[in-house]
């Protein structure tokens, strides 16, 4: 179980970080659009669609990474007070009842949706540029598969929590800026912070 959890976490991290670079492309694209629109008075017909496509891709492909790091919104005002074994049991049941059916539906319906889009080489109806969007619809399937793989890892985490009473956390690979600043301030003040 542990080796699968590490594999799924690594796979999710690789995809999440790789597609995270879309932020840079979006920044360049939107900056270009602002420049040509307001300085050159010659707006593009494709910029809005491309930024939507990149943001949607980033959002979808980052879902499994966010799941692996426990970053999705969770209403845990009661859950966090329960013992780890109870949390594991609740997570196990909820993944089986809600997560896997939902992700399976995403994969299956996304497959049909993307297949039809590829058949007629669908383009965006929102811009006169006719930006192709069939490849973007394939992201639904890819994101669903990644979520399914990561969901199995989360199910294994729940089993370990029920059995051993501990949560297996993903490896730390990023840290909030606020945490870095707090640690830096504490070090300057001579206080040790974990």
């Amino acid at each position: 179980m542990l080796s699968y959890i590490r594999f799924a976490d690594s796979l999710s991290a690789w995809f999440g970080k790789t597609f995270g670079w879309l932020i840079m492309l979006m920044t360049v694209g939107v900056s270009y659009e602002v420049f040509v629109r307001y300085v050159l008075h010659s707006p593009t017909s494709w910029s809005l669609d491309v930024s939507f496509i990149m943001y949607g891709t980033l959002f979808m492909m980052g879902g499994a990474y966010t799941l692996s790091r426990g970053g999705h919104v969770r209403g845990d005002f009661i859950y966090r007070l329960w013992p780890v074994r109870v949390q594991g049991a609740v997570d196990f049941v909820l993944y089986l009842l809600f997560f896997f059916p939902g992700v399976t539906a995403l994969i299956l319906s996304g497959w049909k949706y993307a297949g039809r889009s590829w058949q007629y080489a669908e383009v965006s109806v929102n811009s006169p540029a006719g930006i192709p969007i069939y490849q973007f619809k394939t992201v639904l399937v890819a994101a669903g598969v990644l979520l399914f793989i990561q969901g199995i890892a989360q199910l294994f985490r729940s089993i370990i929590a029920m059995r051993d009473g501990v949560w297996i956390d993903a490896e730390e690979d990023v840290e909030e800026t606020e945490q870095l600043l707090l640690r830096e301030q504490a070090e300057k003040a001579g206080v040790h912070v974990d």
Side-chain angles (χ1 to χ4, degrees):
M1 278 195 284
L2 286 175
S3 61
Y4 182 85
I5 290 171
R6 297 294 175 229
F7 158 74
D9 287 351
S10 298
L11 183 68
S12 296
W14 187 87
F15 275 99
K17 290 175 185 178
T18 300
F19 280 88
W21 285 99
L22 286 175
I23 292 290
M24 299 302 286
L25 289 175
M26 286 173 50
T27 302
V28 169
V30 171
S31 298
Y32 172 78
E33 173 61 22
V34 168
F35 177 75
V36 298
R37 178 178 298 254
Y38 295 108
V39 175
L40 303 179
H41 304 290
S42 179
T44 66
S45 60
W46 51 264
S47 179
L48 183 64
D49 277 343
V50 170
S51 66
F52 281 168
I53 288 169
M54 285 192 285
Y55 180 71
T57 301
L58 171 66
F59 180 81
M60 293 296 291
M61 296 304 287
Y65 174 70
T66 305
L67 180 62
S68 74
R69 299 314 191 254
H72 287 287
V73 175
R74 166 178 260 176
D76 67 348
F77 61 97
I78 296 175
Y79 173 92
R80 65 185 163 159
L81 301 174
W82 294 338
V84 172
R85 292 180 199 279
V86 174
Q87 290 175 353
V90 168
D91 276 11
F92 184 83
V93 169
L94 293 177
Y95 272 102
L96 288 179
L97 291 179
F98 298 106
F99 179 84
F100 285 110
V103 171
T104 301
L106 174 68
I107 294 168
L108 296 176
S109 61
W111 184 269
K112 285 191 263 183
Y113 194 49
R116 276 185 257 141
S117 188
W118 276 89
Q119 279 180 334
Y120 56 84
E122 185 177 7
V123 297
S124 173
V125 296
N126 296 325
S127 76
I131 304 292
I133 58 173
Y134 47 89
Q135 73 283 5
F136 173 59
K137 296 204 175 167
T138 307
V139 168
L140 292 170
V141 179
V145 169
L146 286 172
L147 279 168
F148 200 93
I149 291 168
Q150 187 60 49
I152 293 170
Q154 299 305 104
L155 205 61
F156 287 167
R157 279 187 166 95
S158 299
I159 292 169
I160 292 170
M162 286 187 294
R163 184 185 68 200
D164 302 337
V166 295
W167 282 110
I168 304 296
D169 292 326
E171 290 181 26
E172 300 263 340
D173 58 351
V174 270
E175 191 170 1
E176 296 288 334
T177 304
E178 292 82 10
Q179 295 299 319
L180 291 171
L181 293 173
L182 285 172
R183 188 174 332 120
E184 185 178 292
Q185 288 175 349
E187 287 173 2
K188 285 181 183 177
V191 178
H192 177 69
V193 178
D194 287 330

